[in-house]
Amino acid sequence: MKKTLFLIALICMAVAPGANARKKPQVKQHTVVEVPKVQPQLIAIETENTQLLLKTTDKGELQQLRYGVKLDTAPFENTRKRAHDAFPVAGGYTRDDVALSVTYPDGNLNTELYVTGVTQNKAAGIVTTEISLKDYVTLLEVKLVYEAYVKEDVIASHSEILNPGKKPVTLTGYASAAINIPGEEFLLTSFHGDWAYEMQVQRTEVPYGITSIQSRKGTQTTYNANPSFLLSVDAREFSESSGDVVAGALEWSGNYKIDFSRSTSGSVDIIAGINPYNSEYPLGPGKTFRTPRMLWTFSPRGAGQASRNFHRWARRHQIYSGGTVNPTLLNSWEGAYFTFTTPVLTGMIDDAAAMGLELFVLDDGWFAKDFPRNNDSAGLGDWELNTDKIPEGIDYLASYANEKGIKFGIWIEPEMVNPRSNLAAAHPEWVVRSPGREIIQKRNQWVLDLSNPDVQDFVFGVFDRTMQLSDKIEYIKWDCNRSVESLGSDYLGPEQSRFYVDYIQGLYSVVARIREKYPNVIVQCCSGGGARVDYGSLKYFNEFWTSDNTDAITRIKIQYGTSMIYPACLHGSHVSAVPNHQTGNMTPLKFRFDVACTGRLGMELQPKNMTEDERVFASRCIESYKQYRDLVFTGDLYRLGDPWNTDLYGLVYVSEDKSRAVFFAYSTTFRSRALAAPVVKLQGLDPSKQYKVTELNTDHSYWWGNAGRYKGEYLMTEGIDLNFRRMFDSAVFYLEAR
Ligand code: DGJ
């Protein structure tokens, strides 16, 4: 009873007005921070033929006006009312998609950026525009950098995010760049695939809402989706030679995301960069995060010109030693796999040299003693020579190759480890693993944690020690056969979400070190075939292994897709045995050569299994390839048709001065003799020049007009009627102007 009375008294005290006067909660003053007014200005980012036009409002907001063919900006005419955020962020007005989102130390999620300065510098054919922006409340700073490659019509753009505060902030989204493309209809060409099935072309109308292409594989990009695209604007059909096309490619070898956000306002916003998936990134006080560059090009003349822009730019500015010719080669993989001894390899070297090839590459299987690498279940990580297989040593093989007049190269896969290896036992903490969980194996192997500087040193050491096996090693094939599963880094501790970014940055810092020490060695970028085909890796690598699929008929499509973004000088392209080891297909040797000769030619078989006639034919193809390969490596590519939709497909590579060209054609169907011969109209020639047209790689001629002289105009207007009747008929023509 006493207790009840006490409670009633308490309640009365609480509700009685004025009773027990409480302290009012302190209301924080909401002072609006003023954004200083600025002088509005137009920012023109221009190449020879294209223009990205930005402006600042008087409040300092950065907006994009247009991206397209170059127009005169003085006096500036703006016919469209609406401008778009040049770099949409999370904060202020809600956007459909954003390039940047940040969580601040107090939990605040809003960022608003205003321009504080613009600079423009010209150097060596590149005009660099830097736009500095600032958030006046959180004080975050962002720099947007646009590098305009004037002659090549390519613009590279990226962002740099600086935390000037005293506490760390967390980046939850940190794209490289954004661009807005107005239009009524959009056809997106992107590249999906899988192992032995890379760069499969996919064309889709861009739907309203957000469509993404992305990778979450950690170590790789390309198998499933290459970080690149072509967007045909105001078009329902894909065209090689007409219509506006915007193409993009990201310089990043890990998780990425490219969003296409289409709204009813009649445009698509493209936002591209590192994939924020499981990648919240802490940015410490005073630290800057530099995003990878996004590459853009614009063509008013269809996809072909967009590809050529990227190709020229890549050869001149991006690919390691771009513009040089890499040697033809014999690779030991499909010819010997893991089963070889010195005599097998010297025999292959003899045959390679005899056929006129210029390099022999010893692939997987040469290393590990305690856990010998006799199949893919053991040995990765133990990079010591298996003396049971090659007792004479690598230097013996390299010297042997040199004596035969050819170079020597060797395979490594330094980012990986087999559980059955000494390395796995010695350094379990170097393996990517998640506490308490089984480590997932793929191809019987685990991934090493490249976010760890000790692992970076180890990976550098693998390359370095391999190079010490002989001073005659001139080529390294760097493989990476799996993706990251169940991510986990002992090294990163509580900051696991840095892993995907730090892995790729770790990789780049290793290959940059390698390049300092070994500037001249040719390094091929292989990732179980073409899973690491991107412009990030190509800064350090000379070429890539396009695909483990060496079947000529399916390779045509893989190489076609690859050529949309990446130049032919990069495409490792090998003639292999039939039936093909991946597909079981049978194709004639000539067809296999005619397909392989459109990239960096190689062979990947046991030459001992070839007939004498086949070897003679191979020697002829290799010899004639040397006559025109500079065109494949440095010429402009014109694709004729589409192997997905036509049964006659062709490629023309033309020298910059248009005085020489090489033309390849393939039949992918049977044609009755009753049908007219298919006609191919060439492209890219000089209409006024007269070309001598000579057929190469012939078993018999496929054109009645062989060795004649024809005007470029005629060849492009009337074309060549090829005597193609059967599936796998193919022809190569060399064109030389007087
Ligand atoms: C995958 C590569 O793509 C092949 O060319 C070959 O090097 C194997 N790895 C070796 O294991």
Side-chain angles (χ1 to χ4, degrees):
M1 179 62 161
K2 254 189 190 170
K3 212 174 176 183
T4 320
L5 282 174
F6 176 68
L7 265 178
I8 291 169
L10 258 184
I11 292 166
C12 290
M13 274 163 66
V15 294
N20 195 22
R22 258 189 327 169
K23 241 185 156 184
K24 272 196 184 158
Q26 274 243 311
V27 178
K28 260 196 184 169
Q29 282 309 309
H30 183 90
T31 334
V32 174
V33 176
E34 206 153 304
V35 177
K37 288 243 179 296
V38 294
Q39 188 64 31
Q41 64 170 316
L42 207 58
I43 306 164
I45 295 154
E46 294 178 331
T47 64
E48 207 160 87
N49 302 297
T50 71
Q51 178 183 65
L52 172 63
L53 210 53
L54 309 179
K55 72 162 187 180
T56 55
T57 65
D58 58 357
K59 218 178 151 192
E61 296 144 320
L62 184 66
Q63 297 182 332
Q64 183 200 310
L65 291 168
R66 65 181 301 269
Y67 180 43
V69 286
K70 191 164 165 181
L71 301 174
D72 196 354
T73 52
F76 174 63
E77 293 153 312
N78 186 10
T79 52
R80 290 181 202 247
K81 188 164 171 229
R82 225 176 134 173
H84 292 261
D85 290 323
F87 194 70
V89 297
Y93 288 107
T94 300
R95 277 82 171 188
D96 292 342
D97 197 12
V98 295
L100 178 72
S101 53
V102 184
T103 306
Y104 295 94
D106 60 355
N108 178 8
L109 298 168
N110 283 295
T111 302
E112 288 184 30
L113 296 175
Y114 300 95
V115 175
T116 56
V118 180
T119 62
Q120 223 159 33
N121 290 303
K122 286 181 199 162
I126 306 168
V127 180
T128 304
T129 306
E130 295 193 348
I131 305 175
S132 302
L133 302 114
K134 180 175 172 174
D135 184 323
Y136 285 92
V137 173
T138 66
L139 304 182
L140 189 87
E141 290 173 26
V142 173
K143 198 194 281 175
L144 299 180
V145 183
Y146 298 84
E147 289 154 283
Y149 291 83
V150 177
K151 284 258 172 283
E152 296 81 14
D153 289 329
V154 168
I155 296 173
S157 57
H158 77 274
S159 59
E160 292 172 16
I161 307 152
L162 166 70
N163 172 15
K166 293 203 166 46
K167 291 182 183 165
V169 300
T170 306
L171 307 180
T172 53
Y174 37 98
S176 301
I179 214 159
N180 177 270
I181 309 296
E184 297 301 320
E185 283 174 313
F186 301 92
L187 184 75
L188 177 65
T189 302
S190 59
F191 310 96
H192 74 102
D194 213 319
W195 175 77
Y197 193 62
E198 298 88 339
M199 296 302 281
Q200 303 294 303
V201 169
Q202 173 166 253
R203 296 197 176 110
T204 42
E205 193 193 325
V206 179
Y208 289 99
I210 299 178
T211 304
S212 304
I213 52 176
Q214 60 175 315
S215 166
R216 295 176 173 193
K217 300 287 179 188
T219 54
Q220 308 171 323
T221 51
T222 316
Y223 275 162
N224 304 98
N226 191 265
S228 65
F229 68 89
L230 295 102
L231 186 72
S232 308
V233 183
D234 283 328
R236 282 199 179 157
E237 300 275 313
F238 176 85
S239 168
E240 283 287 347
S241 52
S242 67
D244 288 355
V245 172
V246 175
L250 185 71
E251 270 182 37
W252 187 245
S253 309
N255 291 359
Y256 75 90
K257 191 155 175 265
I258 306 177
D259 282 350
F260 302 84
S261 170
R262 185 175 178 194
S263 69
T264 45
S265 69
S267 69
V268 169
D269 275 317
I270 307 172
I271 296 184
I274 291 174
N275 197 332
Y277 164 73
N278 268 353
S279 295
E280 292 197 347
Y281 207 85
L283 190 62
K287 294 272 186 247
T288 299
F289 187 90
R290 189 188 194 280
T291 62
R293 300 194 307 172
M294 179 66 189
L295 310 159
W296 310 98
T297 192
F298 177 85
S299 157
R301 287 188 302 282
Q305 187 60 49
S307 300
R308 287 188 288 280
N309 290 350
F310 270 153
H311 296 173
R312 275 196 185 190
W313 166 83
R315 288 192 300 258
R316 291 178 187 167
H317 299 283
Q318 190 73 358
I319 303 166
Y320 193 84
S321 271
T324 50
V325 166
N326 293 328
T328 55
L329 62 86
L330 175 69
N331 178 293
S332 68
W333 181 239
E334 286 193 26
Y337 291 109
F338 295 102
T339 315
F340 53 79
T341 50
T342 306
V344 172
L345 301 175
T346 50
M348 288 178 116
I349 291 170
D350 289 340
D351 292 332
M355 286 189 289
L357 295 169
E358 298 154 309
L359 163 73
F360 175 73
V361 180
L362 171 56
D363 210 283
D364 199 352
W366 59 267
F367 54 91
K369 277 185 175 161
D370 296 338
F371 300 91
R373 181 80 172 160
N374 293 328
N375 53 53
D376 62 21
S377 73
L380 275 181
D382 297 351
W383 297 99
E384 55 198 335
L385 178 67
N386 180 340
T387 43
D388 290 341
K389 286 183 180 175
I390 312 171
E392 299 83 354
I394 294 298
D395 189 55
Y396 170 82
L397 284 178
S399 306
Y400 188 88
N402 284 184
E403 276 159 29
K404 297 287 166 175
I406 69 173
K407 300 177 196 295
F408 182 82
I410 196 163
W411 178 97
I412 54 173
E413 190 179 2
E415 295 160 75
M416 302 289 157
V417 60
N418 281 123
R420 291 180 57 221
S421 67
N422 287 324
L423 181 72
H427 286 290
E429 79 286 6
W430 284 3
V431 174
V432 174
R433 58 182 185 172
S434 181
R437 299 186 198 280
E438 201 178 315
I439 314 174
I440 295 171
Q441 291 184 30
K442 270 191 168 178
R443 206 193 189 213
N444 304 309
Q445 65 196 55
W446 294 333
V447 181
L448 292 176
D449 175 7
L450 259 182
S451 72
N452 181 340
D454 291 344
V455 176
Q456 292 168 19
D457 285 346
F458 171 80
V459 171
F460 173 83
V462 172
F463 193 104
D464 199 28
R465 279 194 306 279
T466 305
M467 289 299 292
Q468 309 307 319
L469 293 172
S470 166
D471 61 2
K472 299 176 191 76
I473 296 175
E474 295 182 68
Y475 180 104
I476 294 273
K477 175 175 175 180
W478 178 306
D479 208 344
C480 163
N481 276 295
R482 60 160 284 182
S483 49
V484 172
E485 318 296 322
S486 187
L487 90 90
S489 159
D490 282 23
Y491 173 74
L492 289 173
E495 294 195 332
Q496 294 293 302
S497 62
R498 298 172 61 126
F499 177 80
Y500 288 123
V501 169
D502 288 8
Y503 186 99
I504 297 299
Q505 286 181 345
L507 172 69
Y508 289 163
S509 91
V510 171
V511 282
R513 259 169 90 189
I514 286 169
R515 277 318 188 182
E516 247 171 57
K517 185 156 180 191
Y518 300 103
N520 298 325
V521 65
I522 300 171
V523 190
Q524 183 188 66
C525 180
C526 171
S527 186
R532 211 179 240 172
V533 171
D534 58 72
Y535 278 126
S537 57
L538 289 170
K539 253 183 4 210
Y540 309 99
F541 293 86
N542 302 69
E543 61 169 30
F544 49 69
W545 179 222
T546 319
S547 176
D548 269 358
N549 185 337
T550 56
D551 167 36
I553 188 68
T554 42
R555 253 299 181 112
I556 287 186
K557 287 181 178 163
I558 294 171
Q559 291 177 185
Y560 167 82
T562 310
S563 81
M564 288 281 156
I565 306 290
Y566 305 97
C569 60
L570 292 165
H571 306 191
S573 190
H574 297 177
V575 172
S576 60
V578 287
N580 181 266
H581 293 192
Q582 292 77 37
T583 63
N585 283 339
M586 300 285 292
T587 51
L589 186 62
K590 172 172 166 54
F591 187 79
R592 280 176 271 154
F593 262 102
D594 288 357
V595 172
C597 284
T598 63
R600 193 273 295 129
L601 173 66
M603 294 181 77
E604 185 155 339
L605 42 64
Q606 171 50 278
K608 292 269 172 296
N609 299 336
M610 296 168 76
T611 65
E612 191 47 35
D613 282 355
E614 285 175 333
R615 284 158 180 259
V616 170
F617 182 75
S619 306
R620 271 181 33 224
C621 293
I622 294 163
E623 197 187 330
S624 60
Y625 175 77
K626 291 177 187 166
Q627 171 191 353
Y628 62 76
R629 66 172 156 187
D630 62 304
L631 299 170
V632 175
F633 274 79
T634 61
D636 282 328
L637 167 66
Y638 292 80
R639 289 176 292 259
L640 311 178
D642 175 344
W644 294 89
N645 298 308
T646 50
D647 36 34
L648 182 74
Y649 173 59
L651 296 161
V652 190
Y653 295 94
V654 188
S655 63
E656 271 189 43
D657 66 0
K658 297 194 183 285
S659 66
R660 294 161 65 235
V662 58
F663 159 51
F664 300 84
Y666 312 99
S667 164
T668 56
T669 190
F670 164 74
R671 268 165 245 271
S672 157
R673 266 179 301 163
L675 298 178
V679 174
V680 190
K681 294 177 183 173
L682 275 63
Q683 285 180 29
L685 306 177
D686 180 338
S688 62
K689 282 196 164 70
Q690 202 182 41
Y691 294 90
K692 181 172 182 206
V693 182
T694 313
E695 193 170 351
L696 305 173
N697 295 6
T698 43
D699 43 11
H700 66 276
S701 178
Y702 283 96
W703 190 41
W704 60 270
N706 183 24
R709 291 179 192 280
Y710 307 88
K711 267 184 89 179
E713 184 182 38
Y714 189 86
L715 294 167
M716 293 193 289
T717 316
E718 287 301 313
I720 287 180
D721 54 344
L722 292 165
N723 187 20
F724 280 1
R725 296 295 168 195
R726 286 173 308 182
M727 187 164 180
F728 306 137
D729 280 347
S730 62
V732 183
F733 296 93
Y734 178 62
L735 284 76
E736 200 168 15
R738 276 167 180 264

